[in-house]
Amino acid sequence: FTIRAIDSEGAFVEKTVELTVTPVPDAPVLDLPEEFHVTEGEQTVLDLGDYIADPDSSLRSGDFEFIVSIHSVLGNPQDYLDCIDLTYGMVVFKCPEGFIKDHEDHFVIEVILTDQEGLSSADILTIVILEGPSAAENRLWLGGAVLAIAAGGTGMATVAWIRRKEPFVIHDLMVIHN
């Protein structure tokens, strides 16, 4: 770059200096939300790409490595790890029905993100497990739906029976053969 200066008398001086910019890789930034809600009996996906910022790397290019670990939990951590599946760039949660009857309804995980330069960032996330609909509720809705369909079918059959034209008569019968 060039620096030019002029004094009050009009004297002019100029100096050109070469500036070399050496790129320094930036560490990725992982900024997870405070809580993530999961319903037992259902599969829920957390897309980590929504929470990563790194000008040097791209999730689509496969520049990151992920590690998910249980940060704090009451009870056996393996029970909670069994509910987590790590797919590249996504954490998939699937807690079985009735999970919170025997376990705590929340746990904390730590996600560690490392880019291709070896720089890393970590953040913690509280997973809140919500109780899923019970099987009795599902059976109640299913029974109600079956009754509604049966009542509709019966009503349509009754209307068709009442409005039918009597008698059914064959006017013409043709047999086509060789």
Side-chain angles (χ1 to χ4, degrees):
F1 66 94
T2 302
I3 300 173
R4 293 186 184 108
I6 302 174
D7 67 5
S8 60
E9 299 297 320
F12 176 80
V13 68
E14 177 178 279
K15 180 72 174 173
T16 301
V17 179
E18 183 178 319
L19 178 65
T20 304
V21 178
T22 305
V24 176
D26 295 326
V29 176
L30 180 62
D31 188 23
L32 296 173
E34 294 292 321
E35 289 184 349
F36 187 71
H37 295 259
V38 174
T39 304
E40 62 182 7
E42 296 178 7
Q43 180 173 309
T44 310
V45 177
L46 172 66
D47 186 1
L48 296 174
D50 296 339
Y51 307 103
I52 297 172
D54 189 356
D56 306 326
S57 306
S58 170
L59 182 65
R60 280 184 245 129
S61 300
D63 295 337
F64 297 107
E65 290 181 16
F66 299 94
I67 298 173
V68 176
S69 60
I70 299 294
H71 190 264
S72 66
V73 68
L74 296 174
N76 184 5
Q78 188 60 42
D79 292 344
Y80 295 90
L81 279 175
D82 291 341
C83 297
I84 299 173
D85 186 22
L86 182 62
T87 304
Y88 185 75
M90 291 182 272
V91 182
V92 181
F93 299 94
K94 178 131 173 72
C95 296
E97 288 183 23
F99 184 80
I100 60 176
K101 290 179 182 170
D102 301 327
H103 302 85
E104 290 292 316
D105 65 347
H106 66 280
F107 62 101
V108 179
I109 64 170
E110 180 179 29
V111 179
I112 301 171
L113 168 72
T114 306
D115 67 5
Q116 78 274 12
E117 305 291 335
L119 301 171
S120 63
S121 177
D123 200 3
I124 59 171
L125 173 65
T126 301
I127 307 300
V128 178
I129 305 170
L130 305 174
E131 187 175 358
S134 68
E137 289 177 20
N138 290 340
R139 282 191 296 247
L140 182 65
W141 282 105
L142 180 62
V146 168
L147 280 175
I149 291 170
T154 303
M156 290 184 348
T158 303
V159 167
W161 182 262
I162 292 172
R163 297 190 50 113
R164 68 182 166 83
K165 295 178 182 175
E166 290 187 43
F168 292 108
V169 177
I170 298 174
H171 292 284
D172 292 318
L173 180 63
M174 296 172 37
V175 178
I176 299 173
H177 59 88
N178 287 343

